[in-house]
């Protein structure tokens, strides 16, 4: 570059410095430093330069550290790898190490991006070098460190800082064969600064460009906000503002910091009656009320403060001028509100009534209890509308029933006071629960007949009312009660009762209050009727549910049982339990729960309980019974969702969500089999008092389908307590399921010392919350075992000749039990059952007799073919066996087991009088 290049004259070449200078001059004219936009641009320029400098310095330092670190890592890794490379040791120990190692060093330098690689002997003699004349010469520097282990050194050279790493080359026996050193110049590693400089300078240029544009945009925006007005235009605008100031119908008064008037418009002169020439005079010397003058000159913030000025009521507003660019002082505005005050009073009263109706909508009807809703009505009316309020309802409404359509009687309708509220506790009224007769002529009777609120402006002249209750009337009048409004509670075309609003200390009621009393009573009547309808439905559902639940537990000797059931406080659910005696003195225990509340849940519970009773009569195992119950629920769901009745939301009712647990206990062996469908697991309390949950697979809830149900079999010792329950016992809003189960388990520990009824009470005391949100059913059963002397078993050979022997042994056993009177019928029954088992069944055949509350004869065989009872014709040779069994036994049946079937027949222990003529007739 020559000297002329730096001193070219302006305009000597196209696009030269002259054109650039003119462009820069245009920018400077737009962004002068005296303007706000120019100052912002200069500040932005300085900030960008500082940021670029700091970023560049940080980038250089970071790049230097990164390059040094990378050079150390690269050389050290290369030295260690070369020291351990195959053939290096043998080359150093060979006759010509340079011939082998020099090509390797050149290859590493070329491909490994390092500056040099040196292999040397233990004495420091070079085997390789980047210059041939250095081969055979001694290595320069502290060479011995590389023989002891990997080392890294950094030193400065004319070409820059060099990083060199060395590593010893060791033989297999650990001796040192030599050393290898790898070096690289740091400048050859790092180039991050050069790569990132364009980005850095480009970002700085972009920031300056954006700053320049922003500054120019700010200048244009400022000019646009002032609309480009010059002095003349601003003067004309001031004149317009002055004209408007004096033309408005609101007084304006501007006062300086010394309390002197700077400006006053015509409306302020009229309202404040200011003299001419008020400008420049102190406000206190204008003849105003001292308090008003002090307020106008105060300069503090005042909003719509009403002050009297002569016969006018003025609303005064004061704002200080300092925050808005003016000096100390304030601006006050005044307006006449004399006529508005009367209208405002009426509006406030109307607003208070609307607020009271709004509060009534929120506070009345928070529960579905009739009495509570009536009390909420009395509370919300006091003291906003009345000093005292009483609510009386027709008696059927309290029970959830509809009131009679004809409320008129000769003696007046009998209504009961259910709620009372007042501003004080000493209330001169009949207490809650009192019966009141709405005699003709009384405000109550008039309100009930007309269906509209009635005003008794002066109860002292209500002769009928005073004659009906003279003592009560005198007590209220002496207390100061001076006016009464009685409004009927009507909803859905029915009159539910009345509400009385009384005033004693407040101003008397007026006719304008009647419409509000009617509106308040109408809104409350809807809530009362909703509570009445809910009470009716709740009573119906609870009655239905209790009628579907067992009234008591059946008599049986397999276990000692107790139960508890309590419905939810609001909304009856579908929980149920059952104890079902089965043949062979076995007992089935059932607990179930239908999700939901109301009549539908109760009716569904009745369906499922009936189905369980019917399925148990088939003597199905628990898993099969639960499967059939699941299939039944699925069919009910499909039937009801496709064509059944709709609920209140217009949706088809469904019963999916029911759960059930079914268990069978056999007192002859102590075996207990159980299965459950989505129900909580039962708790087993051992005779020693330890309580634990039964590991019973849950299975899906009833109606879900898709998965089989599993059965768990347990052998229970005598005195073991089995606890079955529904989820309402262990889970509620304040307690999760896991916590509830743990509390249940702890409450059952040591339950062996209590009776089942005591266990029920202990569990309820520990778990039942005061406000129940779900039904709770609890069934506690303590097991028993039949005495071995009550059971007799014989194995029967598969031979008809063995029938007579078994009959004789059975007769001997009956004699030992003292049941000789049953021998004849028992032998006939056993003879027929054993003969059928040999003829139609399969081995093994076993006979079992059980004696407890009745006599049970069982014949089991290995065939699963079920016998059928039929009526034989007079010409048939056979076919009367099961018919005879059915006639001689009280009941009989068949159940299946894993190894075949069991045919059983049950007889009462008291032998009936037997008529041989009837027996002959049966045989014929």
């Amino acid at each position: 570059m020559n000297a002329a290049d730096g001193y070219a004259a302006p305009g000597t070449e196209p696009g030269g410095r002259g054109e650039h200078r003119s462009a820069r001059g245009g920018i400077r004219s737009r962004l002068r430093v005296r303007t706000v936009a120019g100052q912002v641009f200069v500040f932005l320029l300085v900030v960008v330069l500082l940021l670029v400098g700091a970023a560049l310095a940080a980038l250089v330092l970071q790049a230097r550290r990164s390059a040094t670190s990378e050079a150390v890592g690269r050389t050290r890794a290369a030295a260690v790898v070369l020291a351990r490379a195959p053939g290096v040791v043998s080359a150093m120990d060979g006759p010509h190490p340079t011939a082998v190692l020099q090509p390797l060093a050149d290859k590493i330098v070329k491909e490994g991006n390092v500056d040099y690689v040196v292999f040397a002997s233990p004495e420091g003699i070079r085997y390789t070098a980047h210059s041939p004349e250095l081969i055979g010469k001694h290595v320069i520097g502290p060479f011995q460190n590389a023989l002891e282990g990997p080392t890294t050194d950094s030193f400065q050279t004319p070409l820059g800082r060099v990083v060199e790493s060395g590593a010893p080359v060791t033989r297999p026996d650990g001796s040192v064969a030599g050393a290898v050193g790898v070096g690289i110049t740091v400048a050859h590693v790092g180039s991050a600064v050069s790569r990132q400089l364009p980005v850095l300078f480009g970002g700085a240029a972009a920031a300056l460009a954006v700053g320049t544009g922003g500054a120019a945009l700010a200048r244009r925006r400022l000019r646009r906000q002032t609309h480009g007005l010059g002095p003349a235009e601003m003067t004309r605008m001031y004149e317009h503002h002055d004209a408007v100031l004096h033309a408005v119908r609101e007084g304006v008064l501007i006062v300086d910091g010394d309390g002197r008037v700077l400006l006053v418009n015509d409306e302020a002169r009229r309202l404040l009656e200011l003299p001419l020439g008020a400008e420049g005079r102190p406000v206190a010397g204008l003849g105003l009320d001292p308090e008003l003058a002090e307020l106008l000159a105060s300069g503090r913030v005042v909003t719509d403060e009403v002050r009297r000025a002569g016969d006018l009521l003025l609303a005064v507003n004061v704002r200080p001028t300092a925050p808005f660019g003016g000096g100390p002082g304030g601006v006050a505005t005044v307006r006449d509100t004399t006529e508005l005050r009367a209208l405002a009073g009426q509006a406030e009263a109307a607003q208070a009534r609307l607020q009271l109706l709004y509060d009534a909508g929120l506070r009345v009807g928070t529960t579905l209890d009739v009495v509570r809703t009536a009390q909420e009505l009395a509370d919300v009316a006091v003291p906003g509308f009345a000093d005292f309020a009483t609510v009386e309802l027709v008696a059927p409404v309290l029970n959830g029933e509809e009131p009679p359509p004809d409320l008129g009687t000769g003696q007046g309708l009998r209504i009961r006071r259910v709620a009372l509220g007042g501003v004080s506790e000493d209330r001169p009224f009949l207490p809650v629960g009192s019966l009141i007769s709405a005699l003709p002529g009384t405000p109550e009777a008039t309100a009930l007949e007309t269906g509209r609120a009635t005003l008794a402006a002066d109860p002292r002249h209500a002769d009928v009312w005073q004659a009906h209750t003279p003592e009560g009337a005198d007590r209220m009048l002496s207390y100061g009660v001076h006016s009464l409004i009685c409004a009927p509670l009507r909803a859905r075309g029915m009159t539910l009762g009345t509400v009385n609003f009384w005033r004693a200390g407040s101003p008397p009621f007026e006719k304008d209050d009647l419409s509000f009393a009617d509106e308040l009573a109408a809104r409350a009547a809807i809530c009362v009727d909703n509570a009445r309808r809910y009470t009716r439905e709740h009573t119906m559902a609870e009655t239905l549910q209790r009628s579907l639940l067992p009234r008591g537990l059946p008599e049986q000797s397999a276990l000692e049982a107790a139960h508890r059931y309590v419905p939810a406080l609001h909304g009856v659910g579908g929980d149920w339990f059952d104890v079902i005696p089965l043949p062979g003195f076995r007992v089935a225990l059932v607990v179930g729960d239908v999700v939901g509340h109301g009549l539908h849940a109760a009716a569904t519970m009745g369906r499922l309980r009936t189905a369980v009773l019917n399925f148990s009569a088939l003597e199905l195992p628990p898993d099969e019974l639960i499967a059939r119950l699941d299939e039944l629920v699925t069919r009910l769901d499909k039937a009801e969702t496709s064509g059944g009745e709709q609920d209140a939301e217009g949706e088809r009712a469904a019963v999916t969500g029911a759960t059930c647990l079914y268990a069978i206990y056999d007192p002859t062996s102590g075996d207990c089999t159980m299965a459950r469908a989505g129900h909580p697991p039962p708790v087993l309390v051992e005779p020693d008092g330890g309580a634990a949950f039964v590991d019973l697979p849950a299975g899906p809830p009833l109606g879900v389908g898709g998965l089989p149900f599993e059965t768990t079999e347990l052998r229970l010792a005598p005195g073991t307590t089995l606890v079955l329950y529904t989820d309402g016992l262990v889970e509620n809003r304040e307690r999760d399921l896991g916590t509830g189960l743990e509390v249940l388990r702890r409450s059952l520990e040591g339950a062996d010392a209590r009776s089942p009824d005591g266990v029920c009470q202990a569990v309820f005391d520990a778990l039942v919350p005061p406000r129940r949100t779900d039904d709770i059913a609890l069934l506690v059963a303590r097991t028993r075992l039949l005495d071995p002397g009550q059971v007799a078993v014989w194995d029967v050979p598969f031979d008809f000749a063995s029938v007579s022997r078994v009959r004789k042994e059975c007769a001997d056993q009956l004699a030992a039990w003292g049941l000789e009177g049953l021998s004849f019928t028992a032998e006939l029954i056993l003879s027929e059952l054993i003969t059928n088992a040999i003829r139609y069944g399969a081995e093994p055949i076993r006979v079992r007799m059980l004696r407890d509350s009745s006599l049970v004869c069982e014949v089991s065989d290995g065939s699963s073919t079920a016998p059928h009872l039929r009526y034989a014709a007079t010409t048939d040779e056979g076919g009367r066996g099961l018919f005879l069994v059915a006639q001689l036994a009280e009941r009989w049946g068949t159940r299946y087991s894993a190894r075949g079937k069991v045919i059983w027949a049950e007889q009462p222990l008291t032998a009936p009088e037997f008529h041989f003529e009837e027996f002959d007739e049966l045989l014929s």
Side-chain angles (χ1 to χ4, degrees), residues 555-558 581-582 584-586 786 790 819 822 850-856 890-891 906-910:
E555 294 184 2
Q556 43 79 34
S557 57
L582 298 177
F585 307 118
R586 298 173 303 139
L786 292 182
Q790 296 177 267
L819 302 176
L822 301 179
L850 307 175
R851 177 186 63 83
D852 193 54
S853 58
S854 61
L855 178 64
V856 177
E890 186 176 49
R891 57 177 183 155
E906 185 174 347
Q907 299 174 257
L909 295 182
T910 302

Side-chain angles (χ1 to χ4, degrees), residues 560-691:
E560 180 186 1
H563 66 89
R564 289 287 190 279
Y565 172 79
V566 289
L569 291 180
H570 302 290
V572 175
D575 294 14
W576 89 93
F577 64 92
D578 229 330
V579 177
I580 307 172
L582 298 177
F585 307 118
R586 298 173 303 139
V587 175
L589 303 175
V590 189
V591 171
D593 183 9
V594 177
V595 177
H597 296 85
L599 287 174
H600 183 264
T604 302
M605 178 271 290
R607 286 180 175 183
L608 297 184
R609 179 172 179 253
T610 302
V612 172
L613 289 172
N614 291 333
F615 289 152
S616 64
L618 301 177
E619 301 190 60
L620 300 174
D623 56 342
E624 188 174 345
L625 185 142
I626 293 292
R628 293 200 181 189
L629 197 62
D630 176 70
E631 183 181 354
L632 172 65
V633 173
T634 302
R635 290 202 306 269
L636 291 176
D637 274 346
K638 291 181 179 178
E640 294 189 1
T641 55
S642 61
E645 296 183 357
Q646 296 181 350
D647 56 14
E649 286 76 18
E651 299 180 355
R652 303 293 180 182
V655 298
T656 300
T659 65
C660 183
L661 190 151
Y662 186 82
I664 297 177
Y665 174 69
D666 188 351
T668 61
S669 61
D671 292 337
C672 182
T673 59
M674 59 184 68
R676 62 180 175 134
H679 203 80
V683 183
L684 208 63
V685 183
E686 300 291 344
D688 60 359

Side-chain angles (χ1 to χ4, degrees), residues 396 427 457 728 745 818:
R427 303 162 183 171
R745 189 192 64 80

